[in-house]
Amino acid sequence: MVDKFVGTWKMVSSDNFDEYMKALGVGFATRQVGNRTKPNFILNVDDQGLICMKSQSTFKTTEVKFKLNETFAETTADDRKTTTVVSLDNGKLVQKQTWDGKETTLEREVIDGQLVATCKMGDVVAVRTYVKEA
Ligand code: DKA
């Protein structure tokens, strides 16, 4: 179930995110803003199982709506146009984005009441931690 991810989460730490963005191919100017930004991550699910996932910040707000295991089109904060699928794997919410023959995964899990987002691109890994706000 995705229930444990539901709510508003505020980012409190971000490790190796600049290297992750470089691996994605994000340019210098956007990386500077990305490194400074502390987004809120907001997840809701309706009674049909439609999940709404939003990343909200002064830099950019992005929102996707999807059902688990169903492919959808996503435009990311750095303007990649990806084919995305989100699944649950051992309690982790795993978002796989593919574009231009490349692939990255964003794995989110709740550990000790915190939401931990592990961003992987090749052998580059960034970890971002969020605490529950509401
Ligand atoms: C997260 O904290 C991961 C967000 C990944 C965004 C990648 C592109 C950022 C470009 C500013 O949920």
Side-chain angles (χ1 to χ4, degrees), residues 20 24 34 42 49-50 59-60 69 71 74 106 111 114 119 133:
Y20 173 69
L24 291 178
I42 303 160
L50 185 70
F59 166 51
K60 199 165 276 189
N69 307 314
T71 298
E74 177 178 6
L106 304 165
I111 302 173
Q114 297 191 322
C119 315
E133 268 209 335

Side-chain angles (χ1 to χ4, degrees), residues 58-111:
T58 48
F59 166 51
K60 199 165 276 189
T61 294
T62 58
E63 179 181 294
V64 285
K65 290 185 176 177
F66 58 89
K67 287 194 171 177
L68 289 176
N69 307 314
E70 293 186 5
T71 298
F72 60 95
E74 177 178 6
T75 301
T76 66
D78 54 314
D79 214 31
R80 281 169 292 130
K81 308 287 189 283
T82 68
T83 299
T84 300
V85 64
V86 181
S87 54
L88 264 183
D89 182 10
N90 283 327
K92 294 183 192 178
L93 199 57
V94 180
Q95 180 177 6
K96 186 169 90 171
Q97 299 170 329
T98 54
W99 76 104
D100 295 346
K102 302 174 195 170
E103 177 181 314
T104 185
T105 56
L106 304 165
E107 295 182 1
R108 296 184 173 92
E109 56 191 318
V110 176
I111 302 173

